[in-house]
């Protein structure tokens, strides 16, 4: 998994509440064989019309937000289906951080498995960040995971909370697999013991 | 200190490491893989430059997308997205060096049928697959359950899973079954009694005389639907029947290793003084042939019953029942035997084994399906198919007017060419009657193979006991 330490990027404003995983990646894209490549279908039904043309008003279609790496979004982001395709699509588009007042639980955890930092902030801070994001490509928001701060383009800094263990994993680019692989010697000795006790397995 | 359950014993034998909060690293003996939930996991390995830790314990077979009609080796027989998923499995199996049964191999079939058939599934093992019906393998006294795609990748890379232990639940079926009553009726009746969330948080062990009397095929049918009852896994303690089934299978141990394995397997039972967090008991004699009337597997009733009135339920179920009856195009008070059927599907990992085909063929012998009936039999594997041909079952089905298909998931789910059209009504031996499961707008009644055969003949849901 890609490490997450510091990020200075364009933030796209999505003030909508209850953005669900069906909106993030509709079901017709689940018959894919990849985690990657879902970025073009991120927010597919909001982003394209029935003929597949871009809807110019949608935020990620606007020239200033095409390179966005941060989303500032309304309440309860990522609710609905547990599909891991949602964080896959966000990551593939290039989104590394989502800031909201609240997240759905499964989506929140899935983010950490895929190198995305979800940040919970109180409404008044989200409002400030939303305003900053509205300024477009010149307004880069800085996220510092080590220091646990988000800083606006004009230098206002806000602290955020993050679970210490999850922070450790993200900063070191460790996913569950990476962590379990650190226990390889325990697995090796288990295998040796099991092979003696149950050689047929 | 109280004794251990079968689940406790298997669990304890597979813990690699335990954290203070009870989180365990659990060793996985067998990892089964199919084409729908695995591509991203393999891609993840590739991107991280990782290998499959134990390719010799990893078995792949395409089943969900594959057509079950002749000529399916031709990739053009599949729509693009299905073809790509199957081709990805082909490539991944080769590249990562895992065991593979492609569609061209007679041993190909539904992953949960192939595993036991080839002797990959053995008592006391931990078995996982990116598929909820992995519970099937519990029939061998193996701890078997479904996992998500990230976990598939985790198992591929580390041969372990990060898990917390579930609670122990005992489901006892006492006494004998009456004629015409099968394993499918047991498992559906248990779900009817406990509800689809009754097993949530538990691993179920099925026991009692009626379970002991079942063949391995029947036991697989029972455990297969543990997941519909919400349980993490279902288990049945291994016995002589289990050993008999395993003996001589291609990947079962041989010679001295066999003797050692059996000696260990004989220790796999729940101790008399084991602690159970929940116990359910049903009398075998009380179980009737059942059908589902609604859109949840818990919507199950004896075939002699009528469609229930929604207000006979409580709480949120009232609305759910209303919606189900409307979706199913039924009326409260209607006799279940008056429900007309236009499609019959015999197959799936629940009821696609040889004994299931025998049970259906016994009812169909010398009979014809109702005019206009679309009836298909889809054997669970190429080997089941071959055996059924050898035993003359295939001819009975064909003579009765059934389509005799190649192995795969087929009409169990609408992911391959076999689907219901809107409003079509099917008596199916599969495991899920959700809205749209067999095709958008399709209506599914879950039944045993014998009941499905009976409905195919009469054209309506039928009490098979009148035909035996
Ligand atoms: S037969 Fe049905 S339930 Fe079984 S694995 Fe295939 S799709 Fe899933």
């Amino acid at each position: 998994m890609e490490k997450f330490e510091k990020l200075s990027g364009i933030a796209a404003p999505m003030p909508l509440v209850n953005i669900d995983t069906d909106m993030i990646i509709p079901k017709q894209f689940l018959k894919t064989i990849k985690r990657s490549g879902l970025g073009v279908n991120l927010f597919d039904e909001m982003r394209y019309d029935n003929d597949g043309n871009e809807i110019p008003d949608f935020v990620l279609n606007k020239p200033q937000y095409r390179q966005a790496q941060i989303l500032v979004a309304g309440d309860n982001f990522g609710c609905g289906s547990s599909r891991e395709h949602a964080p896959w699509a966000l990551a593939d588009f290039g989104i590394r951080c989502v800031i909201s007042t609240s997240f759905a639980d499964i989506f929140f955890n899935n983010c950490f498995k895929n190198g995305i930092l979800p940040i919970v902030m109180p409404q008044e801070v989200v409002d400030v960040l939303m305003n900053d994001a509205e300024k477009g490509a010149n307004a880069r928001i800085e996220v510092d995971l080590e220091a646990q701060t988000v800083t606006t383009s004009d230098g206002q800094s806000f602290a955020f909370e993050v679970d210490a263990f999850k922070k450790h994993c993200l900063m070191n680019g460790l996913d569950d697999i990476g962590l379990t692989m650190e226990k390889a010697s325990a697995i090796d000795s288990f295998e040796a013991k099991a092979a003696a006790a149950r050689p047929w397995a | 200190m109280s004794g251990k359950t079968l689940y406790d014993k298997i669990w304890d034998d597979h813990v690699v490491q335990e954290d203070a909060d009870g989180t365990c690293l659990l060793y996985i003996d067998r990892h089964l893989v199919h084409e729908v939930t695995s591509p991203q996991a393999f891609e993840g390995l590739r991107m991280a430059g990782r290998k499959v830790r134990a390719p010799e314990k990893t078995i792949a077979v395409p089943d969900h997308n594959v057509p079950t009609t002749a000529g399916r080796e031709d990739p053009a027989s599949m729509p693009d997205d299905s073809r790509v998923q199957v081709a990805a499995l082909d490539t991944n199996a080769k590249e990562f060096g895992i065991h593979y049964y492609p569609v061209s191999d007679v041993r190909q079939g539904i992953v949960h049928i192939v595993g036991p058939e080839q002797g990959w599934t053995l008592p006391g093992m931990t078995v996982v697959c990116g598929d909820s019906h992995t519970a099937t393998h519990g029939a061998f006294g193996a701890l078997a359950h479904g996992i998500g795609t990230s976990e598939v990748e985790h198992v591929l890379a580390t041969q372990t899973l990060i898990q917390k232990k579930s609670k122990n639940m005992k489901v006892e079926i006492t006494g004998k079954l009456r004629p015409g009553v099968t394993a499918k009726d047991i498992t559906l009746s248990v779900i009817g009694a406990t509800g689809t969330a009754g097993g949530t948080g538990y691993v179920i062990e099925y026991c009692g005389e009626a379970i002991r009397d079942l063949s391995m095929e029947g036991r697989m049918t029972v455990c297969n639907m543990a997941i519909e009852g919400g349980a993490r896994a279902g288990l049945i303690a291994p016995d002589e029947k289990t050993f008999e089934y395993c003996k001589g299978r291609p990947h079962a141990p041989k010679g001295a290793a066999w003797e050692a394995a059996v000696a260990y397997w004989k220790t796999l039972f729940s101790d008399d003084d084991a602690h159970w967090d929940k116990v359910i008991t049903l009398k075998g004699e009380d179980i009737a042939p059942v059908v589902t009337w609604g859109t949840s597997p818990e919507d199950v009733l004896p075939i002699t019953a009528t469609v229930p009135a929604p207000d006979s339920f409580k709480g949120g179920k009232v609305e759910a029942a209303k919606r189900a009856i409307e979706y199913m195009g039924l009326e409260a008070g209607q006799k279940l035997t008056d429900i007309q059927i236009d499609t019959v599907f015999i197959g799936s990992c629940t009821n696609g084994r040889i004994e299931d085909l025998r049970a259906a063929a016994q009812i169909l012998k010398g009979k014809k399906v109702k005019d206009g009936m679309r009836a298909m039999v889809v054997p669970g594997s190429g080997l089941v198919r071959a055996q059924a041909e050898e035993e003359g079952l295939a001819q009975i089905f064909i003579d009765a007017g059934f389509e005799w298909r190649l192995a795969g998931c087929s009409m169990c789910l609408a992911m391959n060419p076999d689907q219901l059209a809107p409003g079509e009504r099917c008596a199916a031996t599969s495991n899920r009657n959700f809205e749209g499961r067999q095709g958008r707008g399709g209506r599914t009644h879950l039944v045993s193979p014998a009941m499905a055969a009976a409905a195919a003949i009469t054209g309506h849901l039928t009490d098979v006991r009148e035909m035996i």
Side-chain angles (χ1 to χ4, degrees), chain A residues 35-111:
Chain A
R35 273 189 180 96
S36 58
L38 286 167
V40 304
N41 303 114
L42 177 69
F43 295 113
D44 195 86
E45 288 172 3
M46 302 162 85
R47 199 162 143 204
Y48 306 103
D49 65 18
N50 288 338
D51 301 323
N53 302 311
E54 286 187 2
I55 298 170
D57 276 354
F58 182 69
V59 60
L60 297 180
N61 288 334
K62 295 182 182 170
Q64 64 270 40
Y65 295 114
R66 285 178 176 267
Q67 307 299 322
Q69 289 178 284
I70 301 167
L71 287 183
V72 184
D75 294 348
N76 197 25
F77 189 88
C79 57
S81 147
S82 66
R83 60 190 63 166
E84 214 168 305
H85 298 69
W88 293 346
L90 286 165
D92 190 67
F93 181 88
I95 303 292
R96 300 293 315 280
C97 175
V98 186
I99 303 171
S100 174
T101 50
S102 61
F103 292 88
D105 186 50
I106 298 174
F107 175 84
F108 188 77
N109 288 320
N110 278 344
C111 279

Side-chain angles (χ1 to χ4, degrees), chain B residues 305-381:
Chain B
T306 55
V307 176
D311 49 21
S312 65
F313 295 96
K314 285 198 207 76
K317 190 70 192 173
V318 177
E319 272 311 304
K322 246 185 229 163
R323 186 185 164 90
I325 289 172
E326 189 181 320
Y327 178 84
M328 293 297 289
L330 301 173
E331 271 170 49
Q334 187 178 359
K335 284 170 75 176
L336 294 175
T337 47
D338 284 346
I339 297 173
Q340 305 294 313
I341 296 294
D342 47 53
T343 309
V344 169
F345 168 65
I346 297 176
S348 87
C349 59
T350 315
N351 283 129
R353 285 170 285 269
I354 190 69
E355 186 182 274
D356 302 313
L357 303 195
R358 284 184 197 137
Q362 199 185 344
I363 301 295
L364 287 166
K365 190 163 190 173
K367 304 240 173 56
K368 291 262 179 245
V369 305
K370 178 94 175 170
D371 273 354
M373 180 72 61
R374 173 186 180 202
M376 61 166 93
V377 193
V378 186
S381 73

Side-chain angles (χ1 to χ4, degrees), chain B residues 149-466:
Chain B
T149 296
S150 281
E151 290 176 313
V152 169
E153 185 177 341
H154 192 279
V155 177
L156 288 172
T158 69
Q159 206 59 26
T160 64
L161 261 188
I162 300 169
Q163 286 267 297
K164 276 197 172 162
K165 202 174 170 202
S166 306
K167 288 181 287 185
N168 279 292
M169 175 167 166
K170 173 156 98 170
V171 172
E172 187 176 13
I173 316 292
T174 61
K176 300 269 181 207
L177 296 180
R178 295 189 186 278
V181 179
T182 68
K184 184 66 164 290
D185 302 299
I186 294 180
T187 203
L188 280 170
S189 297
V190 171
I191 298 163
T194 62
T196 45
T200 304
Y202 294 94
V203 164
I204 294 176
E205 181 177 339
Y206 300 94
C207 59
E209 186 183 353
I211 297 290
R212 295 259 74 86
D213 282 353
L214 292 175
S215 66
M216 287 314 295
E217 283 84 356
R219 294 177 188 183
M220 284 188 252
T221 302
V222 170
C223 288
N224 173 274
M225 292 192 73
I227 188 71
E228 270 71 42
R232 169 156 279 263
L235 283 171
I236 294 175
D239 59 12
E240 290 302 327
K241 276 186 201 169
T242 320
F243 310 150
E244 195 51 43
Y245 180 100
C246 294
K247 197 168 189 177
R249 302 262 161 198
H251 296 279
K254 313 265 176 322
W258 171 260
E259 298 306 326
V262 172
Y264 169 73
W265 295 342
K266 285 184 172 167
T267 68
L268 298 174
F269 55 84
S270 291
D271 298 330
D272 289 340
D273 57 345
H275 171 74
W276 299 98
D277 300 290
K278 189 169 172 180
V279 178
I280 303 274
T281 307
L282 296 186
K283 283 192 191 149
E285 309 87 76
D286 289 352
I287 299 175
V290 292
V291 302
T292 60
W293 52 268
T295 52
S296 161
E298 70 185 13
D299 298 340
V300 64
L301 282 172
I303 181 67
T304 48
T306 55
V307 176
D311 49 21
S312 65
F313 295 96
K314 285 198 207 76
K317 190 70 192 173
V318 177
E319 272 311 304
K322 246 185 229 163
R323 186 185 164 90
I325 289 172
E326 189 181 320
Y327 178 84
M328 293 297 289
L330 301 173
E331 271 170 49
Q334 187 178 359
K335 284 170 75 176
L336 294 175
T337 47
D338 284 346
I339 297 173
Q340 305 294 313
I341 296 294
D342 47 53
T343 309
V344 169
F345 168 65
I346 297 176
S348 87
C349 59
T350 315
N351 283 129
R353 285 170 285 269
I354 190 69
E355 186 182 274
D356 302 313
L357 303 195
R358 284 184 197 137
Q362 199 185 344
I363 301 295
L364 287 166
K365 190 163 190 173
K367 304 240 173 56
K368 291 262 179 245
V369 305
K370 178 94 175 170
D371 273 354
M373 180 72 61
R374 173 186 180 202
M376 61 166 93
V377 193
V378 186
S381 73
L383 292 180
V384 169
R385 187 173 196 268
Q387 187 176 351
E389 287 178 346
E390 204 178 293
E391 292 183 14
L393 307 178
Q395 203 54 50
I396 294 174
F397 285 114
I398 293 165
D399 291 345
F402 271 78
E403 288 177 54
W404 180 243
R405 293 294 193 90
L406 298 169
C409 293
S410 183
M411 210 194 263
C412 177
L413 90 172
M415 205 166 177
N416 53 61
D418 303 333
Q419 301 187 9
L420 292 181
E424 280 186 334
R425 188 185 295 281
C426 181
T429 66
S430 45
N431 46 50
R432 281 179 178 155
N433 52 348
F434 298 156
E435 286 185 23
R437 169 75 176 185
Q438 293 191 285
R440 197 188 169 93
R443 294 159 172 167
T444 303
H445 297 278
L446 301 177
V447 290
S448 73
M451 289 281 283
I457 295 165
T458 63
H460 56 85
L461 294 177
T462 298
D463 190 339
V464 69
R465 289 173 295 192
E466 291 163 10

Side-chain angles (χ1 to χ4, degrees), chain A residues 33 35-36 84 180 188 191, chain B residues 27 40 43 53 150 153:
Chain A
I33 58 163
R35 273 189 180 96
S36 58
E84 214 168 305
T180 301
D188 288 342
E191 274 179 341
Chain B
Y27 193 78
Q40 290 88 352
E43 162 130 328
R53 180 181 170 101
S150 281
E153 185 177 341

